[in-house]
Amino acid sequence: MDVPNTYGLVFACTCGVILGVGLGANLLVFYLFAKYNTLRKNRLDILLLSMSLADFLTLLLIPLTLHSAMSHSWPLGNVSCKIYQFMLAFSLAASIYSLCTVSVARAMIITNPYRPPAMDLVILMFVLVWALSFLISLPLRMFATKESLSPSLVSFTFCLPTIHEHHYQVVLSQFVLFYFIPMLVIAFNYIRLALFLHKSPVMSTSSARNTRRASLMVFLAAATFSFCWLPGYILELCVYLGLYRHGWAWELFYFTCTILQYLHPCINPVLYVLLAKRYRHRRAAWLFGCRRNRVQPQVVSVSADSF
């Protein structure tokens, strides 16, 4: 029993750290949006807010997931299981599709800076993300059920996303809708930006730097999304092909896949908002607001490097 207890303790501690960091980062994003009116009027920031809302919803479901994994039992009824699985798929879809719209908006802004997407179009993209996420998640989780491992282990129950007969149809649909198509959208926009930078005329140093930074963010989005979600789908494929075996190596692989999937909604706010250059002064104002009443020196050094 020492090994399962150690495994459970490590899993619980890791999820606890992810939950704490993720909730704190997303709450800070919400604070910045609520405090600064300029963020609420920015086209790209509206889509980033959509992604942060979806990630926050995903993180709120982690405690229930952790309790079920640690106790080997789903604590609620069958109806609650269906609602939980739907909310999990719904928040995941909203986060991923918001990520796609961010890549689309960034590509539109960079390739045609003098004609950015209209605010009405951005609002429409926001609404479509959540409506599409709802419509896709509902059929994928309509057969979610609470089941026991075997008739002799009725106390060990789990909330499964679907019944056994539809398991791999749901997994395949989720792979296509939640991973393959979004990766195509993000990759298309990254290639579009790369071609634009290759063919564009010589820009000023600052403009070129900002464009490269934005392009790098699109690439990092694709890389982190793939890194966090692809191992889980590889694991599902191994199970389907009968390659999965009970053992230390496979259990470690399963543990890693689970942690990476929980890590993604924690990475998004850090990558897109908290590390972004255009939020630097607002972060500083929030983190070091207590310095406002301090006496400032009258002589300052003014140079291009200080901005």
Side-chain angles (χ1 to χ4, degrees), residues 129-148:
V129 161
W130 290 87
L132 184 62
S133 300
F134 180 87
L135 294 176
I136 289 177
S137 301
L138 193 59
L140 285 177
R141 292 297 185 265
M142 63 185 303
F143 293 110
T145 183
K146 174 182 177 181
E147 290 187 3
S148 59

Side-chain angles (χ1 to χ4, degrees), residues 7-302:
Y7 171 85
L9 181 62
V10 173
F11 181 75
C13 292
T14 306
C15 288
V17 172
I18 291 174
L19 182 62
V21 174
L23 290 178
N26 281 287
L27 285 174
L28 179 54
V29 172
F30 298 152
Y31 170 81
L32 293 175
F33 275 88
K35 184 174 179 62
Y36 298 102
N37 188 47
T38 54
L39 299 182
R40 297 192 296 271
K41 294 182 178 180
N42 187 284
R43 295 164 175 80
L44 187 60
D45 289 332
I46 292 176
L47 300 177
L48 289 174
L49 177 61
S50 173
M51 185 169 60
S52 189
L53 287 170
D55 290 337
F56 187 77
L57 179 58
T58 302
L59 291 168
L60 290 179
L61 299 173
I62 288 184
L64 196 56
T65 306
L66 184 59
H67 178 275
S68 179
M70 294 294 294
S71 63
H72 300 285
S73 175
W74 176 251
L76 304 175
N78 196 53
V79 175
S80 300
C81 172
K82 291 181 180 293
I83 296 175
Y84 163 79
Q85 286 290 347
F86 166 75
M87 294 301 296
L88 196 61
F90 177 57
S91 60
L92 172 62
S95 176
I96 293 171
Y97 295 150
S98 296
L99 180 61
C100 291
T101 58
V102 168
S103 68
V104 171
R106 269 208 168 107
M108 295 173 67
I109 293 172
I110 294 175
T111 57
N112 197 356
Y114 298 106
R115 293 185 61 187
M119 183 60 72
D120 291 342
L121 177 60
V122 173
I123 298 298
L124 178 61
M125 293 168 67
F126 186 102
V127 173
L128 286 178
V129 161
W130 290 87
L132 184 62
S133 300
F134 180 87
L135 294 176
I136 289 177
S137 301
L138 193 59
L140 285 177
R141 292 297 185 265
M142 63 185 303
F143 293 110
T145 183
K146 174 182 177 181
E147 290 187 3
S148 59
L149 291 177
S150 66
S152 60
L153 297 173
V154 293
S155 60
F156 291 84
T157 58
F158 293 91
C159 180
L160 303 178
T162 187
I163 58 177
H164 180 73
E165 291 79 4
H166 297 162
H167 177 73
Y168 289 105
Q169 290 91 330
V170 171
V171 170
L172 180 61
S173 300
Q174 190 162 308
F175 171 77
V176 173
L177 296 172
F178 290 1
Y179 184 83
F180 183 71
I181 293 178
M183 277 299 300
L184 288 180
V185 173
I186 296 173
F188 170 78
N189 287 288
Y190 179 71
I191 294 173
R192 180 183 175 189
L193 287 175
L195 293 175
F196 170 78
L197 293 176
H198 179 72
K199 297 179 180 179
S200 61
V202 178
M203 295 181 288
S204 65
T205 303
S206 60
S207 298
R209 186 186 303 113
N210 292 334
T211 302
R212 286 195 300 268
R213 184 183 294 112
S215 302
L216 178 62
M217 294 296 290
V218 175
F219 172 76
L220 289 177
T224 55
F225 174 66
S226 179
F227 177 75
C228 290
W229 286 101
L230 184 59
Y233 289 112
I234 293 176
L235 178 62
E236 291 282 357
L237 179 62
C238 291
V239 174
Y240 178 73
L241 296 176
L243 301 176
Y244 184 87
R245 299 289 185 272
H246 291 288
W248 181 83
W250 283 103
E251 294 297 331
L252 180 61
F253 185 39
Y254 174 82
F255 173 82
T256 304
C257 293
T258 305
I259 294 300
L260 286 176
Q261 290 176 354
Y262 290 154
L263 190 62
H264 191 246
C266 182
I267 293 176
N268 279 338
V270 177
L271 180 64
Y272 283 94
V273 178
L274 302 185
L275 293 181
K277 181 180 179 181
R278 58 201 179 100
Y279 296 102
R280 182 179 301 166
H281 301 296
R282 296 180 176 89
R283 292 196 311 271
W286 180 77
L287 293 173
F288 305 105
C290 59
R291 294 186 176 182
R292 288 179 300 178
N293 297 328
R294 294 184 180 181
V295 177
Q296 300 296 326
Q298 298 299 318
V299 180
V300 295
S301 175
V302 180

